[in-house]
Amino acid sequence: MNDQSINTSVRTTCRTCRSTNLMLVLPMGDHPPANMFARPEQKDVPQPAFPLNTQACLDCGLIQVADQVPADFFTDYLYVPSGAATMHTHFAELASVAVERAQGGLIIDIGCNDGLMLSHANDQGGRTLGIDPAANLAKIAGERGVRVHVDFFNRATAQQIRETEGPASVITTTNTFNHIDDLHGFTEGVLDLLTDDGVFIIEVPWGKMILETNEFDNVYHEHVSELSLLSVVKLGQSVGLDVVDVTKLPVHGGSMRVFMQPAALNKTPAPIVADMLADEDAAGMTNKEAYEAFAERVHAMQESLVSMLAELKASGKTIAGYGAPAKGNTLLNYFDIGTETLDFLVDRNTLKQGLYSPGKLIPVLAPEAVMERRPDYLLVLAWNFFDEIREQMADFEAAGGKFIVPLPMPVVIP
């Protein structure tokens, strides 16, 4: 698809409904790509930084990044879901849904990452194929026994795969749909690749939860869209896919699993679809005032957290960060929190250990560093996994350590 409305620098239209009724919600200044960690030899080399401006579409409730970085920044990707035990359980459940829906047909996962979900589908007897542009992650997936087609997904890719593999009964994409600039071309490719009665399953953070719980840190250059259900409905209508069902999910601060099928089937949507659309309307997702209030709460959060950290440092306390997620880097760069405040970060993802966080260049170590260095406080940047982190850090807490959870408003635990 050649969509002349798509501008890879600054958008003037909504990615889903193509409206021009856009509102600048939260301009956050220049940020390096949130997963562009620096290697030790790169620490003193200036990193590229791009504007990070958050827009809202007042016609469909899509929250989007106006500014996009070049696509080749994401061919060597450092996020993997396997680092969180929560995600193993989550993807095993999604795999069972996909295998049941596929009924022996092909399951394709677009943005398969390290193959975690498809490895569960394979274990359950599914016939699978992954698609992902990150060659480093495709290698990890291959070691799990997951076949991966290394490429960005578009209509040409869909045609190529249909010719070699046949149509897909189920296509899934988890926390990838929100990375796509040309959502219309992407979704048309999905329709090209699906069987006539196939199902497209999208998992993304739910925009309503982002708005209501101040999750501004879900916005970064890779996450170009934070989707409302209404935005998905309107997108689907424009290409011939209907939203037929939705499941609410607790992961990532509140997500949704959206089921779409070809409009030609004329399926009656499950009641939850209308219920969630009504909830979005009640939350003001197409109202300017709701986003103005959101921005005010984010600024209040910034003032509260920065003051709290400054007071702790002034009293001689030591602070480290738990997690080096992309969302954490949005928070650190926007709130201007660096090595003057945080001694180090820890993360279970071995791909990030030994590197330095984008922008603020805070060293990332293995979690064992917490008990070795014994900071007084841990700022939980991976707040969406706090329960799991607290369990992992039981010895830290037992020794008197405390956690700072920044969202929805900063709080010290215990």
Side-chain angles (χ1 to χ4, degrees), residues 310-319 376-377:
E311 289 174 8
L312 291 173
K313 291 295 289 185
S315 66
K317 302 298 184 183
T318 54
I319 311 169
D376 298 305
Y377 289 81

Side-chain angles (χ1 to χ4, degrees), residues 37-72:
F37 288 77
R39 304 186 188 282
E41 65 272 17
Q42 300 168 323
K43 185 183 174 189
D44 297 325
V45 178
Q47 290 184 303
F50 304 87
L52 187 60
N53 293 306
T54 309
Q55 297 174 327
C57 174
L58 299 181
D59 284 339
C60 75
L62 179 75
I63 301 169
Q64 67 178 13
V65 177
D67 318 278
Q68 187 161 2
V69 302
D72 58 7

Side-chain angles (χ1 to χ4, degrees), residues 119-140:
S119 68
H120 284 293
N122 288 343
D123 291 344
Q124 297 172 29
R127 183 164 67 91
T128 70
L129 177 69
I131 303 173
D132 201 291
N136 65 316
L137 298 184
K139 181 179 178 182
I140 299 172

